[in-house]
Amino acid sequence: MEFTQAAGPNPLDAGRVVTKPIDRIDGPLKVSGRAPYAYEYHQDFPNAAYGFVLGSSVPKGRIASLDTKAAEAMPGVLLVLTHANTPKMSDEGEHNAPQLQGAEIKQYEQAVAFVVAETFEQARAAARAVKVTYTEAKGAYDLAAVQDKGEPVKSAPDSTVGDFDKAFSAAPVTVDVTYTTPDQSHAMMEPHASVAKWDGDKLTVYTANQMIHWAHDGIAGTLGIPKTKVRVQSAYVGGGFGSKLFIYSDPILAAVAAQKLGRPVKVALTRPQIFNHTNHRPATIQRIRLGAGPDGRITAMGHDTVSGNQEGGEVENAADQTKLLYAGENRLIRTRLSELDLPKGGAMRAPGEAVGLLALECAMDELAEKTGVDPVELRIRNDIQYDPEKGPSRSFSSRHLVECLRTGAERFGWSKRAAKPGTVRDGQWLVGMGVASGFRGNLVMPSGARVKLDREGVVTVETQMTDIGTGSYTILGQVAAEMMGLPIEKVRVKLGDSDFPLSSGSGGSWGANSASAGVFAACEALRDAVAQKAGFNTKDVTFADGNVASGGRSRSLAEVAGPDGVTVEAKAEFGDLTKKFAQASFAGHFCEVGVDAHTGEIRVRRMLSVCSAGRIINPKTSRNQCLGGMTMGIGAALMEEQVVDERFGGFINHDLAEYVVPVHADIPDLDVVFLDETDDKSSWIKAKGVGELGICGVGAAVANAVYNATGIRIRDYPLTLDKLLPRLPTA
Ligand code: MOS
């Protein structure tokens, strides 16, 4: 079923189950410890062996010598894989992840050996006994040092509209500022883990992953076996934030070792390995130039951003939102990529916008101050209802940024903010308020589902879609329940299995809308099949209270299903509406901080996000997504930073003690409000993503509040107290 024109009225509009704050249907399983995560499948395989990945201690160069004799002689050791005895793998597929293929080292903590033993402790101890020497090559690890070598990239073309230089130099008010954001780690709760087992020539991998079909392609492609011989399961995932979009050494090496040993092999990356072995959000250096009239109306919009990555790696698309967020006739937006030899960078929650808005939305605050226009009003004045590059012919599918800002200002008590920074005091605390706009592009992906109606009148949904803590089980159940006129209790949802129909997976905030569209399409087909089987040869049927009815006749779904039940499968595909219309979700974020006048300690006191993201399928799970995003945004503003150690070409703070993220004590009561809207051009669901919207812009609202509290502008994230303290007035 293809989505080619704006959605008309459909059964979801009834809102009996959809739009209700239903508790997570997987909640009882999770809180009682019965939801199996990837590493926990050993309960099914008591004879599993344990693998331990040994990572390179140099970032670049070659293995000079590798001696496994001592390791092999250690207690319990079953197998030591190195590049000398690992089968040839393919690097051809986009999602392939070949391991132990040669002596070349491209990354600190790259796998150089894989030790398998009877217990985890034995494998770890033996890995320490593998002797490796390296010939180290010179690498580049400092973004600032290579920023001028940045190259343009296809995925982020330059925007050049009007004459930026002329408009900028003619502008009565200008801001020209450079912000930096550091490398960041996803730091999700569940480490990367896989269990692999073979039944004859058929491989099953239980792994913690967001994108079943990518993992399926990647594992089969790397190992050179047909996809029909590989099954990937990821039923429960303890967070991912983008790290689990991809596969690393764990599923690949577990599969190779399991085949060699003829028994299941399980492997989890340890927490310290994850920070350098897997990917991370790359650091950026962003120069923002804004030219405006005295009234704050922007005439010149400039954003130059650079990030680094290994050869072939992606750019951090930090200027993406700047192409669409505000008006301005003259525009110059450029994204550059420099080569670095740090661990590979990749997607992390709202790649692009999350760090792009940290810079842009603070620069807007700086423009507000220079023009004397209130920061909320400045954003409203520069709102634009169409793509500022393409003109009025490309409007937004829906855009309620102004309403987000106005609603937020009203609810937060913005009028009480002192325009002059550093003037509000509460005991030892300097108090300030900040605002920022939130923006996240709305992406859609093809997504399929299978639905079965059984003789008990229960509908079972099966799709490869994953639930990474987001609430997918629940919302897909709600969509099926609404479509079939059933209560949520009469729906079962099965996810995260490559044997199910291919789905969008969980990435880029496309999951809720796209996967729901897949379930919608399948339920449309099920409705047709049931109506026909019931003998209602008409489109004029209603599904309610477990019955299907037409023309005054009504039959129960259970009875129509009969002993064999009814099973159908369908797929949602998307036409070009995302090209014809600019599609994004929006937010207004408001923050109040206190800064200790003596110590520079920053405490968030209150925070409100007003979000506009189309139909909210479940206000409870959506709110949870936003609360998590806000927490992560506070982390980005105040704490999170992977510190590059140029001696090792890697990140030196590689655990949750030293990579600091907010804890409960850092987070006060946060508030989230959703605007009541539907976006009929996003899909039949009329919804957009919230998973990433929640973080976009949040950190800038915090930083702007810190400025308002202290009068100190820090343009180098995170805002730690050592950067504030020297400039604080003595109390
Ligand atoms: Mo997201 S960074 O696509 O999980």
Side-chain angles (χ1 to χ4, degrees):
M1 206 171 149
E2 194 174 3
F3 185 70
T4 53
Q5 57 189 31
N10 66 48
L12 292 184
D13 298 329
R16 287 172 301 200
V17 190
V18 159
T19 71
K20 296 289 184 288
I22 289 174
D23 289 344
R24 281 165 197 261
I25 60 176
D26 50 329
L29 266 186
K30 284 185 172 170
V31 297
S32 60
R34 287 174 297 150
Y37 290 79
Y39 200 66
E40 298 175 325
Y41 282 89
H42 62 286
Q43 284 151 3
D44 301 339
F45 319 120
N47 65 332
Y50 292 76
F52 192 90
V53 176
L54 176 67
S56 169
S57 60
V58 305
K60 190 172 176 163
R62 294 185 68 77
I63 296 170
S65 71
L66 207 157
D67 182 351
T68 60
K69 269 191 222 76
E72 279 160 352
M74 285 182 62
V77 172
L78 302 163
L79 174 71
V80 181
L81 289 175
T82 69
H83 67 278
N85 62 350
T86 296
K88 178 131 181 50
M89 297 177 187
S90 161
D91 64 355
E92 260 152 47
E94 192 188 343
H95 302 291
N96 289 15
Q99 304 295 324
L100 305 177
Q101 293 297 290
E104 192 186 354
I105 300 295
K106 288 184 174 172
Q107 161 166 347
Y108 183 65
E109 284 282 11
Q110 172 184 325
V112 294
F114 185 62
V115 180
V116 188
E118 295 290 348
T119 70
F120 171 78
E121 290 77 9
Q122 289 170 335
R124 182 178 57 185
R128 300 272 182 267
V130 174
K131 292 192 190 73
V132 197
T133 62
Y134 301 91
T135 317
E136 209 177 326
K138 193 171 148 40
Y141 308 106
D142 179 10
L143 178 63
V146 299
Q147 61 173 312
D148 295 334
K149 295 186 192 154
E151 297 282 344
V153 281
K154 272 209 192 88
S155 61
D158 290 357
S159 303
T160 48
V161 179
D163 187 338
F164 173 83
D165 288 332
K166 198 171 146 199
F168 185 71
S169 52
V173 187
T174 58
V175 167
D176 181 352
V177 285
T178 297
Y179 280 82
T180 64
T181 66
D183 296 287
Q184 294 178 339
S185 181
H186 309 80
M188 64 281 151
M189 289 275 259
E190 182 202 20
H192 298 267
S194 298
V195 181
K197 78 175 177 91
W198 291 83
D199 299 292
D201 64 351
K202 189 152 197 284
L203 168 68
T204 304
V205 182
Y206 303 89
T207 188
N209 195 278
Q210 301 173 219
M211 300 291 296
I212 295 294
H213 61 296
W214 291 359
H216 195 208
D217 286 351
I219 293 168
T222 304
L223 300 174
I225 46 181
K227 276 168 71 177
T228 50
K229 300 284 188 194
V230 180
R231 183 176 180 189
V232 176
Q233 288 185 255
S234 187
Y236 298 95
V237 182
F241 306 123
S243 189
K244 292 171 184 164
L245 292 169
F246 312 103
I247 55 170
Y248 307 94
S249 65
D250 51 297
I252 301 298
L253 293 175
V256 171
Q259 191 169 37
K260 283 198 185 253
L261 293 171
R263 58 193 274 196
V265 170
K266 54 186 298 190
V267 52
L269 300 180
T270 64
R271 183 65 69 182
Q273 289 176 323
I274 289 170
F275 288 81
N276 285 292
H277 180 81
T278 70
N279 71 357
H280 69 280
R281 191 203 300 278
T284 65
I285 300 173
Q286 303 179 50
R287 181 183 184 196
I288 310 255
R289 286 178 290 169
L290 304 173
D295 59 355
R297 281 179 214 281
I298 296 170
T299 52
M301 170 66 77
H303 194 160
D304 285 283
T305 177
V306 62
S307 62
N309 214 331
Q310 291 176 24
E311 191 185 349
E314 306 241 311
V315 77
E316 182 65 29
N317 200 351
D320 211 27
Q321 72 289 320
T322 310
K323 295 180 175 178
L324 289 167
L325 189 49
Y326 296 119
E329 304 261 290
N330 304 284
R331 315 176 73 85
L332 180 61
I333 298 165
R334 295 176 296 201
T335 305
R336 297 291 178 264
L337 177 63
S338 293
E339 214 171 297
L340 281 180
D341 299 292
L342 287 171
K344 199 164 186 175
M348 179 168 144
R349 197 176 199 165
E353 291 100 328
V355 289
L357 287 162
L358 286 176
L360 178 65
E361 285 301 288
C362 283
M364 287 294 283
D365 207 57
E366 301 200 47
L367 181 64
E369 187 174 40
K370 278 200 169 176
T371 53
V373 178
D374 175 84
V376 171
E377 175 58 26
L378 179 79
R379 287 167 171 84
I380 291 170
R381 243 174 234 185
N382 286 292
D383 185 56
I384 185 161
Q385 290 293 314
Y386 54 83
D387 178 341
E389 280 184 37
K390 306 266 158 55
S393 65
R394 187 173 189 251
S395 61
F396 280 90
S397 59
S398 69
R399 172 168 169 139
H400 301 293
L401 174 62
V402 170
E403 200 180 337
C404 289
L405 291 165
R406 285 202 205 285
T407 306
E410 172 69 32
R411 288 193 176 226
F412 200 67
W414 182 254
S415 59
K416 295 196 188 75
R417 171 183 177 268
K420 192 167 157 41
T423 53
V424 179
R425 187 93 187 217
D426 175 9
Q428 84 213 56
W429 300 99
L430 298 163
V431 180
M433 287 191 213
V435 67
S437 299
F439 174 101
R440 170 68 187 171
N442 183 53
L443 304 169
V444 286
M445 289 283 170
S447 198
R450 183 155 56 223
V451 286
K452 299 178 188 175
L453 172 67
D454 69 20
R455 62 195 298 174
E456 311 294 329
V458 169
V459 167
T460 300
V461 177
E462 294 176 339
T463 164
Q464 285 188 11
M465 181 61 186
T466 49
D467 187 325
I468 60 174
T470 40
S472 311
Y473 279 103
T474 311
I475 62 162
L476 297 182
Q478 286 176 266
V479 169
E482 190 80 64
M483 290 297 288
M484 301 313 297
L486 293 168
I488 189 82
E489 294 76 20
K490 289 279 191 184
V491 178
R492 311 268 176 274
V493 182
K494 295 182 177 176
L495 301 181
D497 187 332
S498 62
D499 279 359
F500 298 154
L502 192 143
S503 95
S504 65
S506 300
S509 294
W510 60 60
N513 185 39
S514 306
S516 291
V519 172
F520 176 92
C523 287
E524 284 276 44
L526 184 60
R527 288 165 63 104
D528 286 349
V530 168
Q532 209 165 33
K533 199 169 176 194
F536 301 142
N537 290 317
T538 163
K539 283 268 169 200
D540 186 23
V541 286
T542 53
F543 288 80
D545 307 321
N547 300 312
V548 53
S550 181
R553 290 196 301 139
S554 175
R555 296 182 63 189
S556 85
L557 293 183
E559 179 208 332
V560 176
D564 298 336
V566 185
T567 302
V568 298
E569 191 177 320
K571 185 176 181 185
E573 288 175 295
F574 294 88
D576 60 358
L577 287 183
T578 49
K579 293 204 181 69
K580 281 189 191 150
F581 295 90
Q583 297 203 13
S585 50
F586 295 88
H589 303 293
F590 293 80
C591 179
E592 182 182 290
V593 300
V595 179
D596 189 302
H598 305 270
T599 66
E601 177 187 359
I602 302 168
R603 305 297 304 182
V604 173
R605 289 157 64 112
R606 301 189 290 137
M607 192 148 197
L608 164 68
S609 294
V610 180
C611 299
S612 167
R615 174 180 273 148
I616 299 302
I617 302 170
N618 181 326
K620 184 176 281 181
T621 54
S622 295
R623 179 182 154 84
N624 289 345
Q625 284 294 290
C626 289
L627 293 175
M630 292 160 83
T631 303
M632 213 161 171
I634 292 168
L638 302 179
M639 301 165 199
E640 294 187 43
E641 175 175 21
Q642 287 188 294
V643 179
V644 175
D645 187 328
E646 293 197 36
R647 293 170 303 168
F648 305 109
F651 303 117
I652 198 71
N653 52 340
H654 51 238
D655 57 39
L656 292 177
E658 299 290 334
Y659 183 83
V660 186
V661 298
V663 298
H664 272 91
D666 297 312
I667 303 298
D669 253 359
L670 304 177
D671 199 5
V672 181
V673 171
F674 293 106
L675 296 187
D676 188 9
E677 76 149 318
T678 54
D679 187 331
D680 62 0
K681 294 169 197 81
S682 72
S683 79
W684 304 289
I685 313 301
K686 306 173 190 174
K688 294 188 279 200
V690 294
E692 293 171 321
L693 178 66
I695 189 176
C696 290
V698 167
V702 176
N704 292 337
V706 170
Y707 178 76
N708 184 242
T710 62
I712 302 169
R713 181 70 71 181
I714 299 165
R715 299 193 184 90
D716 172 28
Y717 285 99
L719 278 55
T720 44
L721 55 81
D722 55 301
K723 297 171 190 170
L724 267 182
L725 201 52
R727 295 159 67 186
L728 273 179
T730 41

